[in-house]
Amino acid sequence: MNTKPRNEVSVLFMLFSILFCVCLIAANVLETKQINVLGMSLTGGFIIFPVSYIINDCVCEVWGYKKMRLLIWTGFAMNFFFVGVGAIADAIPGTEYFDNEEGFHAIFGLAPRIAAASFIAFIAGSFVNAYIMSRMKRHHKGRRFSLRAIASTILGESVDSLIFFPLALGGVIPANALPELMMWQVIMKTTYEIVALPITIRVVKAVKKHEHSDVYDDDVNYNIFSIFKL
């Protein structure tokens, strides 16, 4: 069992990376719909966004913080590209027979303020999640995966919400409504992670066995900008 990060990426890591990027891009599209879950108003992105945190946990657990750092920045770049080309297409006038301009704009006309808030919150929340996973794994010597998966999600989602909602919705909705909205986002997404935890544990065990890898970040540099130091 390899306990040191390797300087190359495997096919399985590549597949996880693709799924991670697809989840982030899909969440942007799904965020345009408001859904009702048990009487609570949430966005459609709630369905898929927590999956990215599960992948975060799995990649960090199996391949280590360095690989997760690369994946976070890759996801950021792909998401930025998608939002960028979507905004360009939205800005170009449609042909005379295109009659769905309003619907297209509702999906791809993401306001710059919301886009910026989303990108900043994603970077901050994802790196907090990965950092907590890495440090707790070292501290507990590889034990208590469930504890660090839940703890990292709570802290990562809290940072994500604390950044996103004030930046994106500050001044748009009443200030006294923001704390409750942020709290429910954290609670619901953490609950999602807990419900999915048995699946996450099985996936992590299977990937570790397949990859012969269980990296401990004993000498890692946690600088989030050291992207290519694998």
Side-chain angles (χ1 to χ4, degrees):
M1 181 72 72
N2 176 41
T3 61
K4 295 292 184 180
R6 293 177 293 179
N7 291 329
E8 68 274 3
V9 296
S10 67
V11 172
L12 196 55
F13 176 82
M14 181 186 69
L15 294 176
F16 268 85
S17 302
I18 293 170
L19 179 58
F20 184 75
C21 293
V22 169
C23 286
L24 296 180
I25 292 172
N28 269 339
V29 177
L30 297 176
E31 288 287 343
T32 60
K33 180 175 181 178
Q34 302 293 312
I35 61 175
N36 186 289
V37 178
L38 302 176
M40 291 174 290
S41 179
L42 299 169
T43 63
F46 172 78
I47 298 171
I48 196 170
F49 185 75
V51 176
S52 65
Y53 271 74
I54 295 173
I55 296 174
N56 190 318
D57 291 347
C58 185
V59 171
C60 198
E61 177 72 14
V62 177
W63 290 286
Y65 179 86
K66 292 179 181 180
K67 294 289 199 308
M68 191 62 233
R69 176 172 56 202
L70 174 63
L71 181 51
I72 291 171
W73 282 113
T74 301
F76 176 88
M78 295 302 99
N79 205 16
F80 186 84
F81 176 77
F82 173 79
V83 171
V85 295
I88 292 172
D90 184 53
I92 299 173
T95 62
E96 58 184 20
Y97 54 80
F98 182 70
D99 58 0
N100 195 31
E101 195 78 40
E102 185 176 342
F104 189 90
H105 180 74
I107 296 175
F108 294 100
L110 193 63
R113 176 183 177 183
I114 295 177
S118 176
F119 287 136
I120 296 171
F122 163 72
I123 287 294
S126 295
F127 274 112
V128 166
N129 187 84
Y131 176 81
I132 297 300
M133 280 290 296
S134 176
R135 292 301 297 266
M136 287 186 69
K137 183 175 183 178
R138 290 171 58 191
H139 180 74
H140 293 295
K141 303 186 188 313
R143 301 186 299 271
R144 301 179 181 176
F145 171 77
S146 297
L147 175 62
R148 59 179 175 271
I150 294 171
S152 63
T153 295
I154 292 173
L155 291 171
E157 289 287 2
S158 296
V159 169
D160 185 288
S161 296
L162 284 170
I163 292 173
F164 176 77
F165 287 102
L167 288 180
L169 301 176
V172 178
I173 65 175
N176 59 359
L178 279 174
E180 182 178 355
L181 185 59
M182 290 187 288
M183 179 187 71
W184 278 114
Q185 287 285 324
V186 174
I187 290 174
M188 292 301 294
K189 289 180 178 179
T190 303
T191 301
Y192 194 127
E193 168 105 3
I194 293 172
V195 171
L197 192 56
I199 298 174
T200 307
I201 292 172
R202 288 178 179 272
V203 170
V204 167
K205 287 182 178 179
V207 173
K208 283 183 178 180
K209 183 177 180 180
H210 181 274
E211 293 289 284
H212 304 290
S213 177
D214 187 11
V215 171
Y216 288 73
D217 295 314
D218 294 323
D219 57 351
V220 69
N221 176 4
Y222 286 105
N223 183 348
I224 68 172
F225 298 109
S226 298
I227 303 173
F228 299 110
K229 293 183 178 179
L230 299 178

